[in-house]
Amino acid sequence: MADGDQQGPVTRPDAGTTAERVPLAQVFLDNIFLLLVLGLAVPIVFYTIWGLLEIASIPLAPPFELPK
Amino acid sequence: MSIQTLKGVWWKKVDRSEKLWLGIALAWCLVLFAMMPLWHWKGGQNPSFETYRITAADYQAKVEAYVQKTKVGEDRGFPVVAPGPGEDVYMLGRLWQWYPVVKLKKGETYRLHLSSLDLVHGFSLFPLNLNFMVLPGYEYVLPITPTEKGEVYAVCNEFCGIGHHQMVGKIIVE
């Protein structure tokens, strides 16, 4: 990877120190519990909850009529 | 995550070569995704169908009443039913049979109702290439149009116990 692609530091002149803006992807990758929550939430929403909504929306069978 | 979190910003933008490989993988995913509706419409293996909720007891009563009304004969101890063109036809799967035998006419379209009374069964038509999963508690309605005369066999393709291999139903097309 090219070093020039890295996000530059944000300098706070009043403090005389350098505060870095941490990208969102790094925030997740640096926290194993955030990754766990994300890894559970995505399949629960898109697989389990969506599936339960699909099942709940199936209508009852219409009344049966014998052929004449 | 390493044992100790790295200090500072270590995240870097994705390199061009990595973007290229991600792009190729994404494009292949989209091809496979497009194959699902394409196979649905062109392949004919997984037909469009309607689904309704019903208890096994209600469905069994429905099929028994239907068989009583439309029975035209017997085949190896199974009743044979012959629905009129465009009519609804009812079959059920149970350990270990597809019931009843159905007689259809070539070129006519029917609404085939399917359900299971006990376990998950598979409705697989041989020698055709149609596979359909049948769950208890649900009634499925498939529009079918036989295109060739002869006998086709409904083979269970979801393992359902010791008699699974004997679970073969019959559809006669005249």
Side-chain angles (χ1 to χ4, degrees):
Chain A
M1 294 186 204
D3 287 336
D5 289 344
Q6 190 173 353
Q7 289 193 356
V10 176
T11 306
R12 291 185 300 179
D14 54 326
T17 56
T18 300
E20 294 176 301
R21 189 182 296 125
V22 180
L24 187 63
Q26 184 178 326
V27 172
F28 277 97
L29 291 170
D30 274 344
N31 190 326
I32 196 168
F33 294 104
L34 271 179
L35 279 178
L36 176 66
V37 168
L38 194 68
L40 291 173
V42 170
I44 284 173
V45 170
F46 286 98
Y47 191 83
T48 309
I49 294 179
W50 192 346
L52 289 173
L53 289 174
E54 285 282 317
I55 291 171
S57 66
I58 295 175
L60 282 171
F64 176 54
E65 289 179 20
L66 279 171
K68 291 168 187 171
Chain B
M1 181 184 176
S2 57
I3 296 172
Q4 291 178 326
T5 305
L6 294 172
K7 300 294 180 194
V9 175
W10 52 262
W11 181 264
K12 293 180 180 176
K13 286 185 179 175
V14 179
D15 189 61
R16 267 187 65 191
S17 58
E18 199 169 353
K19 280 181 183 169
L20 176 67
W21 284 107
L22 284 170
I24 292 171
L26 179 65
W28 185 239
C29 285
L30 293 174
V31 168
L32 295 178
F33 184 77
M35 278 302 292
M36 287 191 285
L38 194 68
W39 195 244
H40 175 77
W41 286 311
K42 296 290 181 187
Q45 186 177 9
N46 305 105
S48 299
F49 60 94
E50 300 164 29
T51 310
Y52 301 98
R53 277 184 291 144
I54 192 166
T55 65
D58 284 350
Y59 191 76
Q60 185 175 19
K62 196 184 273 195
V63 174
E64 291 297 349
Y66 175 76
V67 169
Q68 289 284 325
K69 178 79 178 177
T70 59
K71 182 178 171 183
V72 292
E74 281 205 1
D75 183 338
R76 295 169 300 145
F78 282 79
V80 178
V81 296
E87 284 186 357
D88 291 41
V89 52
Y90 294 81
M91 283 184 90
L92 62 82
R94 60 186 167 197
L95 300 175
W96 288 280
Q97 54 187 229
W98 288 108
Y99 172 95
V101 172
V102 175
K103 194 181 278 186
L104 305 176
K105 289 200 184 305
K106 180 188 166 186
E108 299 290 349
T109 300
Y110 301 87
R111 282 166 52 84
L112 175 62
H113 295 243
L114 287 171
S115 188
S116 164
L117 299 190
D118 34 52
L119 307 175
V120 177
H121 294 291
F123 186 83
S124 185
L125 280 187
F126 273 59
L128 307 174
N129 189 20
L130 182 143
N131 294 287
F132 195 78
M133 188 183 278
V134 183
L135 278 71
Y138 298 98
E139 180 176 344
Y140 306 93
V141 187
L142 288 85
I144 56 164
T145 308
T147 54
E148 289 179 21
K149 290 183 179 178
E151 291 181 354
V152 287
Y153 295 92
V155 179
C156 180
N157 62 3
E158 296 285 340
F159 182 70
C160 57
I162 194 76
H164 167 68
H165 63 290
Q166 295 173 324
M167 189 169 169
V168 181
K170 190 196 275 187
I171 296 177
I172 304 162
V173 182
E174 293 181 328

